[in-house]
Amino acid sequence: MVELKTDTSIDAMYAAGQVVGRALTAVREAADVGVSLLELDEVARGVLREAGASSPFLGYRPSFATTPFPAVICASVNDAIVHGIPTGYRLRDGDLVSIDCGAQLDGWAGDSAISFTVGTPRPADLRLIETAERALAAGIEAAVVGNRIGDIAHAIGRVCRDAGYGIPQGFGGHGIGRRMHEDPGVPNEGRPGRGMPLRHGMALAIEPMLIGSGKDGYHEAADGWTLRTNDGSRAAHAEHSVAITESGPRILTAR
């Protein structure tokens, strides 16, 4: 069931989204060669704590997971697409890092992700990240009253495929509100004009995931969470929580 949010509720979700935005900004600023993923998780924890927010990631255990998630960020490096568990791994020159973070504030959730490079960037990684951001922007642009979920999916998929990148099937965006994951699902590829109509008050987390080689294959790592590309190619992830309104899409996690 899809819950339509009131304008007051959307404002409350914006407040939660701003905490997420601050956490991602702080993590990106702290990320450098030699910094561990666990240290980045501590940075995000500090931002949540200062805001009086909790983490919808910490302890989260969906049906596919064998263990609860142990951190407040997903930290996915190089060939990790999403859901990377922060470890003692220390960032190296040229690493491509994707950070996903959420916040729960006053009963409402926010969810967002960024990708960036550490140290000397590879040109191919910069193109991959830039395309992920363009795909996200295209998806948000399609998130208007009167369109359908398929219009968002088609906009994202077209940017990704036209650039020659792969899309991990079965993973995409989702509704968001009182809980981090709500109905409806938002695929990263689809046919325009299909799926649920978009209405004022819907809130969606739109999140393109791109595989650099152009192939779609991925597998779950031994930790039971991290998704990695089958061919070892690099991946990028971008995400915003967005409210559908009569005046256009409102980005709730704007940084």
Short mmCIF file of all heavy atoms in Angstrom, two decimals, residues 113-165:
data_model
loop_
_atom_site.label_atom_id
_atom_site.label_comp_id
_atom_site.label_asym_id
_atom_site.label_seq_id
_atom_site.Cartn_x
_atom_site.Cartn_y
_atom_site.Cartn_z
N ALA A 113 22.43 8.60 -1.40
CA ALA A 113 23.74 8.00 -1.66
C ALA A 113 24.54 8.86 -2.62
O ALA A 113 23.98 9.55 -3.48
CB ALA A 113 23.58 6.59 -2.24
N ILE A 114 25.86 8.80 -2.48
CA ILE A 114 26.78 9.50 -3.36
C ILE A 114 27.93 8.56 -3.73
O ILE A 114 28.24 7.61 -3.00
CB ILE A 114 27.37 10.77 -2.72
CG1 ILE A 114 28.05 10.45 -1.38
CG2 ILE A 114 26.29 11.84 -2.54
CD1 ILE A 114 28.80 11.62 -0.76
N SER A 115 28.57 8.85 -4.84
CA SER A 115 29.79 8.15 -5.24
C SER A 115 30.87 9.19 -5.53
O SER A 115 30.57 10.27 -6.05
CB SER A 115 29.56 7.29 -6.48
OG SER A 115 28.69 6.21 -6.22
N PHE A 116 32.11 8.86 -5.20
CA PHE A 116 33.22 9.78 -5.41
C PHE A 116 34.52 8.98 -5.46
O PHE A 116 34.55 7.79 -5.12
CB PHE A 116 33.29 10.84 -4.30
CG PHE A 116 33.33 10.26 -2.90
CD1 PHE A 116 34.54 9.92 -2.30
CD2 PHE A 116 32.16 10.05 -2.18
CE1 PHE A 116 34.58 9.38 -1.02
CE2 PHE A 116 32.18 9.52 -0.89
CZ PHE A 116 33.40 9.18 -0.31
N THR A 117 35.58 9.64 -5.88
CA THR A 117 36.89 9.00 -5.92
C THR A 117 37.78 9.58 -4.84
O THR A 117 37.57 10.71 -4.37
CB THR A 117 37.56 9.17 -7.29
OG1 THR A 117 37.68 10.57 -7.57
CG2 THR A 117 36.75 8.50 -8.38
N VAL A 118 38.78 8.81 -4.46
CA VAL A 118 39.74 9.23 -3.44
C VAL A 118 41.12 9.32 -4.09
O VAL A 118 41.53 8.42 -4.83
CB VAL A 118 39.77 8.22 -2.27
CG1 VAL A 118 40.88 8.57 -1.29
CG2 VAL A 118 38.43 8.19 -1.56
N GLY A 119 41.81 10.41 -3.82
CA GLY A 119 43.14 10.57 -4.39
C GLY A 119 43.07 10.90 -5.87
O GLY A 119 42.24 11.69 -6.32
N THR A 120 43.93 10.26 -6.65
CA THR A 120 44.01 10.52 -8.09
C THR A 120 42.90 9.74 -8.81
O THR A 120 42.90 8.51 -8.79
CB THR A 120 45.38 10.08 -8.64
OG1 THR A 120 46.42 10.70 -7.88
CG2 THR A 120 45.51 10.47 -10.11
N PRO A 121 41.97 10.43 -9.44
CA PRO A 121 40.83 9.71 -10.05
C PRO A 121 41.19 9.11 -11.41
O PRO A 121 42.01 9.64 -12.15
CB PRO A 121 39.78 10.80 -10.21
CG PRO A 121 40.58 12.06 -10.40
CD PRO A 121 41.81 11.89 -9.56
N ARG A 122 40.54 8.01 -11.72
CA ARG A 122 40.60 7.45 -13.06
C ARG A 122 39.54 8.16 -13.91
O ARG A 122 38.39 8.30 -13.48
CB ARG A 122 40.29 5.96 -13.05
CG ARG A 122 41.24 5.10 -12.24
CD ARG A 122 40.84 3.63 -12.36
NE ARG A 122 41.68 2.74 -11.58
CZ ARG A 122 41.56 1.42 -11.58
NH1 ARG A 122 40.62 0.84 -12.33
NH2 ARG A 122 42.37 0.68 -10.84
N PRO A 123 39.89 8.59 -15.12
CA PRO A 123 38.88 9.24 -15.98
C PRO A 123 37.63 8.38 -16.17
O PRO A 123 36.52 8.90 -16.20
CB PRO A 123 39.63 9.46 -17.29
CG PRO A 123 41.08 9.59 -16.87
CD PRO A 123 41.23 8.62 -15.73
N ALA A 124 37.80 7.07 -16.31
CA ALA A 124 36.64 6.19 -16.50
C ALA A 124 35.72 6.23 -15.29
O ALA A 124 34.49 6.14 -15.42
CB ALA A 124 37.10 4.76 -16.77
N ASP A 125 36.30 6.34 -14.09
CA ASP A 125 35.48 6.42 -12.88
C ASP A 125 34.70 7.72 -12.82
O ASP A 125 33.53 7.75 -12.42
CB ASP A 125 36.37 6.29 -11.63
CG ASP A 125 36.92 4.89 -11.45
OD1 ASP A 125 36.43 3.97 -12.12
OD2 ASP A 125 37.85 4.73 -10.62
N LEU A 126 35.34 8.81 -13.22
CA LEU A 126 34.65 10.10 -13.22
C LEU A 126 33.48 10.09 -14.19
O LEU A 126 32.41 10.64 -13.88
CB LEU A 126 35.63 11.22 -13.59
CG LEU A 126 36.77 11.46 -12.59
CD1 LEU A 126 37.67 12.61 -13.08
CD2 LEU A 126 36.24 11.79 -11.19
N ARG A 127 33.66 9.45 -15.35
CA ARG A 127 32.55 9.34 -16.31
C ARG A 127 31.42 8.50 -15.74
O ARG A 127 30.24 8.82 -15.92
CB ARG A 127 33.05 8.74 -17.62
CG ARG A 127 33.94 9.66 -18.44
CD ARG A 127 34.11 9.15 -19.86
NE ARG A 127 34.78 7.85 -19.89
CZ ARG A 127 36.10 7.67 -19.94
NH1 ARG A 127 36.90 8.72 -19.95
NH2 ARG A 127 36.61 6.47 -20.00
N LEU A 128 31.77 7.41 -15.06
CA LEU A 128 30.78 6.53 -14.47
C LEU A 128 29.97 7.27 -13.41
O LEU A 128 28.73 7.20 -13.38
CB LEU A 128 31.47 5.32 -13.85
CG LEU A 128 30.59 4.25 -13.21
CD1 LEU A 128 29.66 3.61 -14.23
CD2 LEU A 128 31.47 3.19 -12.55
N ILE A 129 30.64 8.01 -12.54
CA ILE A 129 29.96 8.76 -11.49
C ILE A 129 29.09 9.85 -12.08
O ILE A 129 27.94 10.05 -11.65
CB ILE A 129 31.00 9.35 -10.51
CG1 ILE A 129 31.70 8.24 -9.73
CG2 ILE A 129 30.33 10.34 -9.55
CD1 ILE A 129 32.93 8.70 -8.97
N GLU A 130 29.63 10.56 -13.06
CA GLU A 130 28.85 11.64 -13.70
C GLU A 130 27.59 11.09 -14.35
O GLU A 130 26.53 11.71 -14.31
CB GLU A 130 29.73 12.36 -14.72
CG GLU A 130 29.10 13.60 -15.32
CD GLU A 130 28.29 13.31 -16.58
OE1 GLU A 130 28.55 12.27 -17.22
OE2 GLU A 130 27.37 14.10 -16.90
N THR A 131 27.70 9.91 -14.95
CA THR A 131 26.52 9.32 -15.58
C THR A 131 25.51 8.88 -14.54
O THR A 131 24.29 9.02 -14.75
CB THR A 131 26.94 8.12 -16.45
OG1 THR A 131 27.93 8.54 -17.40
CG2 THR A 131 25.73 7.56 -17.21
N ALA A 132 25.96 8.36 -13.41
CA ALA A 132 25.04 8.01 -12.33
C ALA A 132 24.27 9.23 -11.86
O ALA A 132 23.05 9.16 -11.62
CB ALA A 132 25.80 7.38 -11.17
N GLU A 133 24.95 10.37 -11.75
CA GLU A 133 24.27 11.60 -11.34
C GLU A 133 23.30 12.08 -12.41
O GLU A 133 22.20 12.56 -12.09
CB GLU A 133 25.31 12.68 -11.03
CG GLU A 133 26.18 12.41 -9.81
CD GLU A 133 25.41 12.53 -8.51
OE1 GLU A 133 24.30 13.08 -8.52
OE2 GLU A 133 25.93 12.06 -7.48
N ARG A 134 23.67 11.94 -13.67
CA ARG A 134 22.75 12.32 -14.76
C ARG A 134 21.53 11.42 -14.78
O ARG A 134 20.40 11.88 -15.04
CB ARG A 134 23.47 12.27 -16.10
CG ARG A 134 24.37 13.45 -16.38
CD ARG A 134 24.70 13.58 -17.85
NE ARG A 134 25.46 12.46 -18.37
CZ ARG A 134 25.00 11.57 -19.25
NH1 ARG A 134 23.76 11.67 -19.71
NH2 ARG A 134 25.78 10.59 -19.68
N ALA A 135 21.74 10.13 -14.54
CA ALA A 135 20.61 9.21 -14.50
C ALA A 135 19.68 9.54 -13.35
O ALA A 135 18.44 9.50 -13.49
CB ALA A 135 21.12 7.77 -14.37
N LEU A 136 20.25 9.90 -12.20
CA LEU A 136 19.43 10.31 -11.06
C LEU A 136 18.64 11.56 -11.40
O LEU A 136 17.43 11.64 -11.14
CB LEU A 136 20.33 10.56 -9.85
CG LEU A 136 19.65 11.12 -8.60
CD1 LEU A 136 18.54 10.21 -8.10
CD2 LEU A 136 20.69 11.36 -7.50
N ALA A 137 19.30 12.55 -12.01
CA ALA A 137 18.61 13.78 -12.39
C ALA A 137 17.48 13.51 -13.38
O ALA A 137 16.40 14.11 -13.29
CB ALA A 137 19.61 14.78 -12.98
N ALA A 138 17.70 12.60 -14.31
CA ALA A 138 16.67 12.26 -15.29
C ALA A 138 15.49 11.59 -14.61
O ALA A 138 14.32 11.86 -14.94
CB ALA A 138 17.25 11.35 -16.37
N GLY A 139 15.78 10.71 -13.66
CA GLY A 139 14.70 10.06 -12.92
C GLY A 139 13.88 11.05 -12.11
O GLY A 139 12.65 10.97 -12.08
N ILE A 140 14.57 11.99 -11.48
CA ILE A 140 13.86 13.01 -10.69
C ILE A 140 13.02 13.90 -11.60
O ILE A 140 11.88 14.24 -11.26
CB ILE A 140 14.88 13.85 -9.88
CG1 ILE A 140 15.55 12.98 -8.80
CG2 ILE A 140 14.20 15.06 -9.25
CD1 ILE A 140 16.70 13.66 -8.09
N GLU A 141 13.55 14.26 -12.75
CA GLU A 141 12.82 15.11 -13.69
C GLU A 141 11.51 14.44 -14.14
O GLU A 141 10.51 15.11 -14.40
CB GLU A 141 13.69 15.43 -14.90
CG GLU A 141 13.06 16.41 -15.88
CD GLU A 141 13.97 16.76 -17.03
OE1 GLU A 141 15.11 16.24 -17.08
OE2 GLU A 141 13.55 17.55 -17.90
N ALA A 142 11.53 13.10 -14.20
CA ALA A 142 10.34 12.36 -14.62
C ALA A 142 9.36 12.13 -13.47
O ALA A 142 8.25 11.64 -13.69
CB ALA A 142 10.74 11.02 -15.22
N ALA A 143 9.75 12.49 -12.25
CA ALA A 143 8.93 12.23 -11.06
C ALA A 143 7.91 13.36 -10.85
O ALA A 143 8.00 14.14 -9.91
CB ALA A 143 9.82 12.07 -9.83
N VAL A 144 6.95 13.43 -11.76
CA VAL A 144 5.96 14.50 -11.72
C VAL A 144 4.55 13.91 -11.73
O VAL A 144 4.32 12.81 -12.25
CB VAL A 144 6.13 15.48 -12.91
CG1 VAL A 144 7.47 16.19 -12.83
CG2 VAL A 144 6.00 14.74 -14.24
N VAL A 145 3.63 14.65 -11.15
CA VAL A 145 2.23 14.23 -11.13
C VAL A 145 1.75 13.99 -12.56
O VAL A 145 1.99 14.81 -13.46
CB VAL A 145 1.37 15.31 -10.43
CG1 VAL A 145 -0.12 14.95 -10.55
CG2 VAL A 145 1.76 15.44 -8.97
N GLY A 146 1.10 12.87 -12.78
CA GLY A 146 0.60 12.52 -14.10
C GLY A 146 1.47 11.51 -14.83
O GLY A 146 0.99 10.81 -15.72
N ASN A 147 2.75 11.44 -14.47
CA ASN A 147 3.61 10.39 -15.01
C ASN A 147 3.38 9.09 -14.23
O ASN A 147 2.60 9.05 -13.28
CB ASN A 147 5.08 10.79 -14.93
CG ASN A 147 5.54 11.55 -16.16
OD1 ASN A 147 4.77 11.76 -17.10
ND2 ASN A 147 6.79 11.98 -16.16
N ARG A 148 4.10 8.06 -14.61
CA ARG A 148 4.01 6.77 -13.94
C ARG A 148 5.40 6.30 -13.51
O ARG A 148 6.42 6.84 -13.96
CB ARG A 148 3.35 5.74 -14.86
CG ARG A 148 1.87 6.03 -15.14
CD ARG A 148 1.29 5.03 -16.12
NE ARG A 148 -0.14 5.27 -16.32
CZ ARG A 148 -1.11 4.65 -15.64
NH1 ARG A 148 -0.79 3.73 -14.72
NH2 ARG A 148 -2.39 4.92 -15.88
N ILE A 149 5.42 5.27 -12.66
CA ILE A 149 6.70 4.72 -12.21
C ILE A 149 7.57 4.33 -13.40
O ILE A 149 8.78 4.54 -13.41
CB ILE A 149 6.47 3.50 -11.30
CG1 ILE A 149 5.83 3.92 -9.97
CG2 ILE A 149 7.78 2.75 -11.05
CD1 ILE A 149 6.72 4.72 -9.05
N GLY A 150 6.94 3.79 -14.44
CA GLY A 150 7.70 3.39 -15.62
C GLY A 150 8.41 4.54 -16.29
O GLY A 150 9.45 4.34 -16.95
N ASP A 151 7.87 5.75 -16.18
CA ASP A 151 8.52 6.92 -16.77
C ASP A 151 9.83 7.22 -16.05
O ASP A 151 10.82 7.61 -16.69
CB ASP A 151 7.59 8.12 -16.73
CG ASP A 151 6.37 7.93 -17.63
OD1 ASP A 151 6.55 7.68 -18.82
OD2 ASP A 151 5.24 8.00 -17.10
N ILE A 152 9.84 7.06 -14.73
CA ILE A 152 11.08 7.25 -13.97
C ILE A 152 12.08 6.18 -14.36
O ILE A 152 13.25 6.46 -14.65
CB ILE A 152 10.80 7.20 -12.45
CG1 ILE A 152 9.87 8.33 -12.02
CG2 ILE A 152 12.12 7.26 -11.66
CD1 ILE A 152 9.46 8.26 -10.55
N ALA A 153 11.63 4.92 -14.37
CA ALA A 153 12.51 3.80 -14.71
C ALA A 153 13.10 3.96 -16.12
O ALA A 153 14.30 3.73 -16.33
CB ALA A 153 11.73 2.49 -14.60
N HIS A 154 12.27 4.36 -17.06
CA HIS A 154 12.73 4.53 -18.45
C HIS A 154 13.76 5.65 -18.54
O HIS A 154 14.78 5.50 -19.25
CB HIS A 154 11.54 4.83 -19.35
CG HIS A 154 11.92 5.11 -20.77
ND1 HIS A 154 12.38 4.13 -21.63
CD2 HIS A 154 11.93 6.27 -21.49
CE1 HIS A 154 12.64 4.66 -22.80
NE2 HIS A 154 12.39 5.95 -22.75
N ALA A 155 13.52 6.75 -17.84
CA ALA A 155 14.46 7.88 -17.89
C ALA A 155 15.83 7.48 -17.35
O ALA A 155 16.87 7.83 -17.93
CB ALA A 155 13.89 9.06 -17.10
N ILE A 156 15.83 6.74 -16.25
CA ILE A 156 17.10 6.28 -15.66
C ILE A 156 17.80 5.31 -16.60
O ILE A 156 18.99 5.45 -16.90
CB ILE A 156 16.84 5.62 -14.29
CG1 ILE A 156 16.36 6.64 -13.27
CG2 ILE A 156 18.10 4.91 -13.78
CD1 ILE A 156 15.85 6.03 -11.97
N GLY A 157 17.04 4.30 -17.05
CA GLY A 157 17.64 3.27 -17.88
C GLY A 157 18.19 3.79 -19.19
O GLY A 157 19.25 3.33 -19.66
N ARG A 158 17.52 4.77 -19.77
CA ARG A 158 17.99 5.32 -21.05
C ARG A 158 19.35 5.99 -20.88
O ARG A 158 20.24 5.81 -21.72
CB ARG A 158 16.97 6.32 -21.58
CG ARG A 158 17.32 6.89 -22.95
CD ARG A 158 16.21 7.81 -23.43
NE ARG A 158 15.97 8.87 -22.45
CZ ARG A 158 14.88 9.66 -22.48
NH1 ARG A 158 13.96 9.49 -23.40
NH2 ARG A 158 14.73 10.61 -21.58
N VAL A 159 19.53 6.76 -19.81
CA VAL A 159 20.82 7.42 -19.59
C VAL A 159 21.92 6.37 -19.39
O VAL A 159 23.01 6.46 -19.97
CB VAL A 159 20.75 8.36 -18.37
CG1 VAL A 159 22.14 8.87 -17.99
CG2 VAL A 159 19.82 9.53 -18.65
N CYS A 160 21.62 5.35 -18.58
CA CYS A 160 22.62 4.32 -18.29
C CYS A 160 22.99 3.53 -19.54
O CYS A 160 24.18 3.35 -19.85
CB CYS A 160 22.10 3.36 -17.23
SG CYS A 160 21.76 4.12 -15.63
N ARG A 161 22.01 3.07 -20.28
CA ARG A 161 22.27 2.24 -21.45
C ARG A 161 22.92 3.04 -22.57
O ARG A 161 23.81 2.53 -23.26
CB ARG A 161 20.97 1.60 -21.94
CG ARG A 161 20.35 0.61 -20.97
CD ARG A 161 21.26 -0.53 -20.62
NE ARG A 161 20.55 -1.57 -19.86
CZ ARG A 161 21.12 -2.61 -19.30
NH1 ARG A 161 22.44 -2.77 -19.36
NH2 ARG A 161 20.40 -3.50 -18.63
N ASP A 162 22.47 4.28 -22.78
CA ASP A 162 23.05 5.10 -23.84
C ASP A 162 24.54 5.34 -23.58
O ASP A 162 25.32 5.52 -24.53
CB ASP A 162 22.32 6.44 -23.95
CG ASP A 162 20.96 6.32 -24.62
OD1 ASP A 162 20.64 5.22 -25.12
OD2 ASP A 162 20.22 7.32 -24.64
N ALA A 163 24.93 5.36 -22.31
CA ALA A 163 26.34 5.56 -21.97
C ALA A 163 27.14 4.26 -21.98
O ALA A 163 28.35 4.26 -21.77
CB ALA A 163 26.45 6.23 -20.59
N GLY A 164 26.44 3.13 -22.19
CA GLY A 164 27.13 1.85 -22.29
C GLY A 164 27.35 1.13 -20.98
O GLY A 164 28.19 0.22 -20.91
N TYR A 165 26.58 1.48 -19.95
CA TYR A 165 26.78 0.88 -18.65
C TYR A 165 25.74 -0.19 -18.33
O TYR A 165 24.62 -0.19 -18.86
CB TYR A 165 26.73 1.95 -17.55
CG TYR A 165 27.86 2.95 -17.65
CD1 TYR A 165 27.61 4.32 -17.72
CD2 TYR A 165 29.18 2.52 -17.71
CE1 TYR A 165 28.65 5.23 -17.81
CE2 TYR A 165 30.23 3.42 -17.81
CZ TYR A 165 29.96 4.78 -17.86
OH TYR A 165 30.99 5.67 -17.97
#
